[in-house]
Amino acid sequence: MMRRYMRALLLCTVFAVFSGLYAYSKVFHTDGRSGARRAFIPQRDTGARRGVRPQKPHWYNRYIMRQRGQVEGAGNSVEPTMHLAVVACGERLDETLTMIKSAVLFSIKRLHLHIFAEDQLHASFMEALESWPDAFRSRFNYTVYSISFPSENAGEWKKLFKPCASQRLFLPLILKDVDSVVYVDSDILFLQPVDDIWAFLSRFNPSQLAAMSPEHEEPRIAWYSRFARHPFYGRTGINSGVMLMNMTRMRSTFFKNDMTPVGLRWEELLMPLLQKYKLNITWGDQDLLNIIFHHNPEFLLEFPCKWNYRPDHCIYGSNCASAEEDGIYILHGNRGVYHDYKQPAFRAVYDAIKKYSFGSDPVASLLKPLKEDLLNTTHTYCGKSHSLFTKRLALSLANIHRKPPRGK
């Protein structure tokens, strides 16, 4: 009798252990297909009293309910989805959320956000996004991933240029089930719907698999043409802060290179390239992309500079012809210009979008105050071109109230 009791007790114990492990894996698990760890980290209620069960934060409950609704309605959804990826490390939380805000505010089709961030930022991203009003939160889904590099060289990749910046190189290998994606740096602001840059995918010829804009418009003052110690694309190089990728093509293509007489696949190319050029590169993964497309120019479509407008386009006088004609479509505040006063025109746009309250009148609450602030920046060369900063933004804001109904 005692032996039967002990057997039953042992079986119950084993069942309880495995049940606990299964439940843990549902909260925090590794996606075996992609190798990228997806983390879900509910905040702890540090003020909970002993003996009182802690309450889940409000954003946690909203997230769970929304995820359930998405699963239940997945079979009925036919709405096309655009994929937008960003990497956030260090003090980039607010900057990344402002970028996402600009993307969601103007876009027409549904977005799926792929947010790669250090683990300590995951809960903050989720709390912020789940606090947005339903009218805007319903326009996108999102997945938060841990930073993930090949294990044998993870430290070297993570420290290349800026923390985690080289994560973008591995998106085709991590997001294996995603056909195409728009990658942007965290210091990007959309002044035009994401739909318009997404439309470039349909303009790719059979060879093209990525699109980026030139690093500069004028070779005589461009960084790559003056200082680079490695091959680079075209006359002035390319800037990788805005990068449209057909990842299905990237995964299946063999890339010419200066290391082997045969083409290498994307996953075979990256580490040998870093080992060969790591002492000669300055801008990290952007330099590696320049080397790759130097040897494979037929694979790249060039954006006009209005799709990646940076201080270099106005700091010494306006030199972006497409922005002069059409206005700025995507603003790129590199060199930290959103957070200092060296280029106040860039900071004014960032502050205006960051402070804008969802649902308020976009013209009265965003556009008019921004125009007034930009008039105070005309002592700088970029400020003298202040009309370029609001030309497309005004049209995008006017279209907010004219969007077609979204599918549920």
Side-chain angles (χ1 to χ4, degrees):
M1 189 70 177
M2 179 61 70
R3 185 174 298 174
R4 290 181 181 177
Y5 173 78
M6 292 302 293
R7 286 178 180 173
L9 181 61
L10 179 61
L11 287 172
C12 290
T13 302
V14 170
F15 179 77
V17 170
F18 278 99
S19 297
L21 290 173
Y22 176 79
Y24 180 79
S25 71
K26 291 297 183 181
V27 174
F28 189 91
H29 70 279
T30 298
D31 186 340
R33 295 173 300 175
S34 66
R37 189 175 56 179
R38 302 182 183 186
F40 176 77
I41 311 174
Q43 290 183 334
R44 294 180 179 177
D45 183 357
T46 55
R49 293 173 294 166
R50 185 183 299 274
V52 178
R53 187 174 184 178
Q55 296 295 312
K56 298 293 185 184
H58 180 62
W59 65 263
Y60 176 97
N61 296 325
R62 291 189 64 181
Y63 174 86
I64 292 299
M65 294 301 295
R66 195 178 299 278
Q67 291 298 101
R68 288 175 180 170
Q70 289 169 4
V71 171
E72 292 169 358
N76 301 322
S77 178
V78 295
E79 187 178 9
T81 299
M82 303 176 294
H83 292 265
L84 179 65
V86 66
V87 178
C89 285
E91 304 296 323
R92 298 282 183 167
L93 176 67
D94 287 344
E95 187 176 87
T96 306
L97 288 170
T98 305
M99 180 280 293
I100 294 173
K101 187 178 186 179
S102 72
V104 172
L105 190 61
F106 305 129
S107 294
I108 300 169
K109 291 194 290 289
R110 189 174 184 81
L111 285 167
H112 189 115
L113 309 174
H114 301 272
I115 304 169
F116 291 81
E118 292 174 309
D119 289 353
Q120 64 267 27
L121 297 178
H122 289 196
S124 297
F125 270 112
M126 297 174 70
E127 181 176 8
L129 294 174
E130 294 304 327
S131 71
W132 288 5
D134 285 340
F136 294 91
R137 175 61 187 86
S138 62
R139 297 179 181 181
F140 65 94
N141 296 330
Y142 68 92
T143 308
V144 183
Y145 305 82
S146 293
I147 300 299
S148 175
F149 295 109
S151 56
E152 61 272 20
N153 304 103
E156 193 167 4
W157 284 114
K158 186 170 183 178
K159 295 177 182 177
L160 186 63
F161 186 42
K162 294 181 180 179
C164 310
S166 59
Q167 181 74 80
R168 83 187 94 187
L169 295 177
F170 299 94
L171 295 183
L173 311 180
I174 296 172
L175 303 177
K176 293 182 179 180
D177 296 328
V178 178
D179 175 72
S180 298
V181 70
V182 179
Y183 166 84
V184 295
D185 286 348
S186 61
D187 53 9
I188 289 294
L189 290 173
F190 289 92
L191 308 182
Q192 182 86 351
V194 178
D195 308 63
D196 295 321
I197 193 170
W198 189 258
F200 275 96
L201 289 167
S202 63
R203 305 182 200 177
F204 280 9
N205 66 31
S207 298
Q208 290 167 337
L209 47 76
M212 285 177 274
S213 66
E215 171 66 19
H216 212 287
E217 304 305 300
E218 176 49 63
R220 292 175 298 175
I221 57 175
W223 192 92
Y224 281 107
S225 55
R226 291 188 295 162
F227 304 117
R229 297 181 293 153
H230 57 78
F232 57 89
Y233 176 86
R235 299 191 309 148
T236 63
I238 46 176
N239 184 281
S240 58
V242 179
M243 184 177 180
L244 178 63
M245 292 181 270
N246 183 319
M247 297 192 295
T248 298
R249 291 184 180 181
M250 294 177 72
R251 288 186 284 261
S252 63
T253 296
F254 288 89
F255 293 83
K256 298 187 293 293
N257 60 90
D258 58 1
M259 299 173 293
T260 66
V262 298
L264 298 176
R265 291 187 184 275
W266 191 258
E267 66 270 22
E268 301 167 333
L269 180 62
L270 297 177
M271 195 62 216
L273 205 62
L274 176 62
Q275 293 301 327
K276 178 173 181 176
Y277 286 105
K278 63 182 178 181
L279 299 180
N280 294 326
I281 59 178
T282 302
W283 308 114
D285 54 307
Q286 177 173 292
D287 290 347
L288 297 182
L289 289 167
N290 266 281
I291 297 168
I292 291 171
F293 288 107
H294 168 84
H295 294 293
N296 302 271
E298 70 277 14
F299 294 161
L300 187 70
L301 174 68
E302 275 192 45
F303 289 137
C305 51
K306 64 186 178 183
W307 292 100
N308 188 349
Y309 190 92
R310 304 180 304 284
D312 284 339
H313 291 120
C314 57
I315 193 171
Y316 303 117
S318 182
N319 60 50
C320 177
S322 61
E324 288 282 353
E325 183 175 350
D326 302 320
I328 300 167
Y329 285 21
I330 294 179
L331 194 68
H332 187 177
N334 62 341
R335 302 179 182 174
V337 295
Y338 294 152
H339 311 295
D340 60 32
Y341 293 96
K342 294 179 180 178
Q343 296 300 329
F346 282 77
R347 178 166 182 151
V349 179
Y350 175 80
D351 287 343
I353 294 176
K354 182 180 178 181
K355 294 175 182 177
Y356 172 72
S357 297
F358 283 121
S360 60
D361 183 344
V363 174
S365 301
L366 198 165
L367 185 60
K368 287 184 177 180
L370 174 58
K371 286 184 174 181
E372 293 174 2
D373 288 343
L374 286 171
L375 290 176
N376 297 322
T377 69
T378 55
H379 61 285
T380 66
Y381 278 114
C382 292
K384 292 182 192 308
S385 300
H386 61 87
S387 62
L388 306 186
F389 290 78
T390 56
K391 187 172 184 177
R392 299 308 302 184
L393 178 62
L395 293 174
S396 298
L397 291 174
N399 289 333
I400 286 179
H401 300 298
R402 298 202 294 266
K403 291 180 180 178
R406 295 174 181 266
K408 293 183 178 181

